[in-house]
Amino acid sequence: MVLRRFSSVTRPVSLTVEKFPGYNRNHRFKKLTDDDVSYFESIVGKRGYICNVDELSPYNIDWMNKFRGQSPLVLLPRNTQQISDILQYCNEQKLAVVPQGGNTSLAGGSVPIFDEIILSMRHMNRIRSFDNVSGILTADAGCILEVLDNWLAEKGYMMPLDLAAKGSCQIGGNIATNAGGLRLLRYGSLHGSVLGLEVVLPNGTVLNNMSTLRKDNTGFDLKQLFIGSEGTIGIITGVSILTPLRSKAVNVAMLGLNSFEDVQDAFKHARLELSEILSAFEFWDNQSFQIYKKHFPYKDIMTKDYPFYILIETSGSNKRHDDEKLTDYLGQMMNNGIAQDGVVAQDQKQIKDLWDVRDGLTGALGKEPAVYKYDISIPVANIWHCAQDMRHHLCMGGVFGEKDSPVTDVVAYGHIGDGNVHLNIVTKDLDTRVSDLIEPYLFEWVAKHQGSISAEHGLGVAKNEFLGYSKTPEMIELMKTLKNILDPNGILNPYKYLPQT
Amino acid sequence: MVLRRFSSVTRPVSLTVEKFPGYNRNHRFKKLTDDDVSYFESIVGKRGYICNVDELSPYNIDWMNKFRGQSPLVLLPRNTQQISDILQYCNEQKLAVVPQGGNTSLAGGSVPIFDEIILSMRHMNRIRSFDNVSGILTADAGCILEVLDNWLAEKGYMMPLDLAAKGSCQIGGNIATNAGGLRLLRYGSLHGSVLGLEVVLPNGTVLNNMSTLRKDNTGFDLKQLFIGSEGTIGIITGVSILTPLRSKAVNVAMLGLNSFEDVQDAFKHARLELSEILSAFEFWDNQSFQIYKKHFPYKDIMTKDYPFYILIETSGSNKRHDDEKLTDYLGQMMNNGIAQDGVVAQDQKQIKDLWDVRDGLTGALGKEPAVYKYDISIPVANIWHCAQDMRHHLCMGGVFGEKDSPVTDVVAYGHIGDGNVHLNIVTKDLDTRVSDLIEPYLFEWVAKHQGSISAEHGLGVAKNEFLGYSKTPEMIELMKTLKNILDPNGILNPYKYLPQT
């Protein structure tokens, strides 16, 4: 299941400024003129920009149809120098800019709010180099994740990250948002696997740090600042990344379980028994599964429903050894009653079928009338309490549990191994009665449990004002200082990420 | 082999300012007064500081006896608040400060140059918390690496890094210098495994980012700036780190090889065949080995000398599977002539014996009269060219190859998997004829081969002026900007790290 870039828009998407009142256009930003457009044309050429209203629409709307900006211009530069020239001009002219990768953000970070110029990276899509001994890849930031992964597959390597949006999302956007995804458990975060970046700063300066070394202790590791900066202090144009060898043997199993305690037990055993070959441990609840089955064709993988499901993937170098480890593990899970039912994929097709379920959960929810999406990190034991508490809280608030309640479901799924749960409140329509009950209640709950209000989706539009629930005033102050130094005119991805007050 | 903190000083160590002329004390820094000492006593108590000349000596001299500062005062705070109070006062009074962990730096970063106050972290040594499900450890920055590793061993976990200085070095110092070491190949860099930090900024502000979450995308990842900052923008006081499960099965083998091409071939095969269980792949040349054998008791592990040696470690969850993989691999290496001889450790004692050789190389070199040490990253294929070129260059320069030449040896060892080689030029004494031949020749060589002049040892005193060989002017400019913002008075670890001009 690949999330396509342009989802079908079944009803008009209202403007972000209408949906989230309180935003005011920064009057210091210049409004785009014909002269500006002519100047940009001199940089990117006649075919390097879009200003036709119909064609602009997919760039102004996010793929969840939740956020809609009003940009009159999309620029499609083809190289780093063009991006440098564009930003230098925008900085001088005080024209605000939103960098856009695959536009698969779940937090509204990739679309404008007002009339910011959209700088699309889709034409920056060359693979630059690959070292077949070390596995180090360098590429333009606009390369699509799945394209890179397929390209590496032929060489026996793979990208160290994988996520449902892989068919559309770009590696530059992945890094700008510090994407987590399905392989983090095994291959770690991008802060470890990204070896170098090429970044254009808001004033047009090109910061060339395209190192292809695993170790380099020469000064502050500046590239780290841009990993997860959501396009607010620079535009990532080039990437150097360490890619792991593709495993010769991959196994995938799906289990049905009766309780979240069983899910945790299954995880603890997996870490011990599958250890170095464990490459994914995902869970979803039955509520998520029902929504998946409602929207996507589904061949019954299990004959019966269970309250919880887990998907386990192993990746190793010796099929016989891995089969033996997995068989032992699954035997234990069934014999001691931790798992109630289970299937193991027998071929590539079945592996894909099982992954399609997990990958498709987000897409299925996207087909519901409206969804409030949250992406939080908390110690594993509290993951399920969070969903249970939210259900109870919404019931008590009178918006869930009755036939005519606005909330139709509260569903949870995510990455157990990373303590990361995606909590989705499904509603018949966007409704302030519901959103006022969720926020800041959920953020307070997360802060009380030492969690993060954004595990991997980022802050974007919706969460920046709540940053104080996860970061101290001293840290927010230092973040603002850094933003002001690197982007004194505030032209890059304005109104987002950091609190505006 | 554990490198003890206080190495025996067999001859007087000359002052850094005498050895590296060109440093001038910054006249803006205040000279310490009795009133200052009284004030510090009010913070740390009577037993919380040292100003006796004899006792100061081991804090003023680095463990290689290469650098010697002139600090009149060592402070030994016991908690974060004391460090905050100290720095606030120092910042107001413009008193310069050198943070010191285990003082095992190889670049002179941990000792003062002039009269900077030494702030020793040795009394900050409490373990704060450990989560037995996630493996997340929080601890004071002054905890010794080996102490933490042994403590975790009892819980079935291990530290994600290991280095020869483990018996003395502290986790805070490891992070401040972004230590690499022996486990990086498997467990990645500290930029990935460090989850949170508590840092005291130069003005005394405590930056509390002690997250215990694997994923947290809420704002700039500020902690990354302090990883590898060598104590120049803040003092790390607390650490949250992800620790891997200790493997149930560990195997270690040592092989003798005829050429560096064979070393590379052995590595390529190890990545493919040992793959997910490969946890270390180290190499050293015969020259290093002879120096080791000269200084340390050695039971003949192999009956004969070879030009190169590799040490391979595997760590996995199933002893039988791992033995089979390793046996297959070693069989291949012997049968196709890549390895000439080899031994596999049969028990814990033998594992330690083999590791002692690799761990002891640095210590053995420390017993030579004088050593010029370099720690560079380059693509693996060039590692050996680098040592060969240096030998040739020193011969041509007339300082190596004859009986009375000042240079007695050029030796290389390091982490093949990370493209990281430790190049050591052994001399009868420090000699400007030699050092002028080495620098900037070596740095130019490294820059030409897209390498880094400091892979894992850091910049410290010796290398800061050569930063331009590994980083662009734009990057150095931004580094200086960050330093100025965070430490406007420049009190933290002055004269080091960044170019002073």
Side-chain angles (χ1 to χ4, degrees), chain A residues 133 177-178 215-220 271 320-321 324-325 377 415 418 420 452 454 456 471 485 497, chain B residues 133 177-178 191 215-220 271 320-321 324-325 377 415 420 452 454 456 471 485 497:
Chain A
V133 176
T177 55
N178 189 27
K215 288 177 171 176
D216 176 22
N217 278 349
T218 52
F220 302 123
R271 283 199 72 186
R320 185 169 49 78
H321 290 170
E324 197 180 313
K325 286 188 182 95
S377 268
H415 320 286
D418 315 328
N420 179 193
S452 166
S454 176
E456 59 178 12
K471 291 289 155 70
I485 287 158
Y497 197 61
Chain B
V133 176
T177 55
N178 190 28
H191 286 288
K215 288 177 172 175
D216 177 21
N217 278 349
T218 52
F220 302 123
R271 282 198 74 188
R320 185 168 49 77
H321 289 172
E324 197 180 312
K325 287 188 181 96
S377 269
H415 318 287
N420 179 193
S452 166
S454 176
E456 58 178 13
K471 291 289 156 70
I485 286 158
Y497 196 62

Side-chain angles (χ1 to χ4, degrees), chain A residues 30-100:
Chain A
K30 179 183 166 184
K31 293 207 171 187
L32 190 76
T33 65
D34 288 346
D35 283 352
D36 298 326
V37 176
S38 300
Y39 186 81
F40 291 129
E41 187 179 304
S42 77
I43 298 171
V44 294
K46 275 199 193 308
R47 299 175 64 179
Y49 66 98
I50 297 168
C51 54
N52 172 307
V53 175
D54 291 342
E55 288 177 68
L56 285 170
S57 178
Y59 296 88
N60 266 317
I61 300 174
D62 76 311
W63 81 269
M64 292 292 286
N65 296 328
K66 189 171 175 186
F67 302 95
R68 186 172 147 216
Q70 309 159 62
S71 179
L73 179 69
V74 174
L75 296 173
L76 299 151
R78 293 195 170 267
N79 58 53
T80 304
Q81 188 55 49
Q82 289 183 355
I83 295 174
S84 168
D85 292 345
I86 291 168
L87 284 194
Q88 194 184 341
Y89 181 81
C90 289
N91 193 45
E92 284 163 8
Q93 298 288 321
K94 299 199 174 48
L95 285 160
V97 178
V98 174
Q100 188 176 86

Side-chain angles (χ1 to χ4, degrees), chain B residues 266-492:
Chain B
F267 175 59
K268 282 180 214 162
H269 278 91
R271 282 198 74 188
L272 284 169
E273 308 302 326
L274 301 173
S275 191
E276 72 275 7
I277 62 166
L278 185 65
S279 54
F281 194 102
E282 299 289 308
F283 95 103
W284 56 95
D285 60 12
N286 190 38
Q287 289 88 335
S288 315
F289 200 23
Q290 297 308 319
I291 291 175
Y292 175 85
K293 291 199 273 192
K294 183 167 131 194
H295 296 292
F296 292 121
Y298 172 76
K299 299 164 288 295
D300 271 331
I301 291 171
M302 287 184 207
T303 45
K304 169 169 178 231
D305 286 340
Y306 298 94
F308 294 93
Y309 299 88
I310 56 175
L311 182 146
I312 294 170
E313 184 189 78
T314 67
S315 308
S317 58
N318 185 309
K319 175 79 176 142
R320 185 168 49 77
H321 289 172
D322 291 5
D323 287 352
E324 197 180 312
K325 287 188 181 96
L326 185 60
T327 306
D328 286 354
Y329 169 78
L330 294 175
Q332 269 188 51
M333 291 303 97
M334 299 301 290
N335 290 338
N336 59 18
I338 292 174
Q340 305 308 313
D341 196 0
V343 290
V344 181
Q346 299 302 313
D347 55 31
Q348 285 303 315
K349 169 74 176 57
Q350 289 187 0
I351 286 179
K352 190 178 171 304
D353 285 347
L354 294 182
W355 266 118
D356 274 356
V357 177
R358 171 62 188 86
D359 279 349
L361 298 172
T362 310
L365 283 159
K367 292 178 184 290
E368 289 291 310
V371 183
Y372 292 93
K373 301 184 77 66
Y374 296 90
D375 162 48
I376 60 181
S377 269
I378 30 175
V380 177
N382 283 319
I383 284 180
W384 191 240
H385 295 156
C386 180
Q388 278 175 312
D389 272 22
M390 181 53 72
R391 279 199 188 93
H392 180 70
H393 176 70
L394 295 175
C395 278
M396 298 300 286
V399 297
F400 182 43
E402 304 292 332
K403 205 178 167 189
D404 58 351
S405 301
V407 175
T408 56
D409 222 335
V410 176
V411 314
Y413 58 94
H415 318 287
I416 285 283
D418 314 330
N420 179 193
V421 59
H422 302 305
L423 184 70
N424 291 265
I425 292 120
V426 188
T427 58
K428 291 173 185 160
D429 208 342
L430 295 178
D431 185 329
T432 51
R433 273 189 305 158
V434 177
S435 56
D436 288 351
L437 273 171
I438 304 174
E439 297 177 17
Y441 175 82
L442 178 65
F443 299 139
E444 286 165 1
W445 196 98
V446 170
K448 203 174 83 185
H449 291 83
Q450 285 80 48
S452 166
I453 63 163
S454 176
E456 58 178 13
H457 291 174
L459 295 166
V461 178
K463 299 203 195 89
N464 51 336
E465 296 302 333
F466 300 104
L467 183 54
Y469 286 105
S470 289
K471 291 289 156 70
T472 63
E474 294 81 10
M475 292 200 64
I476 295 173
E477 200 51 43
L478 183 50
M479 289 182 200
K480 286 183 172 178
T481 304
L482 290 176
K483 166 75 179 176
N484 288 337
I485 286 158
L486 286 159
D487 185 16
N489 294 320
I491 60 161
L492 265 191

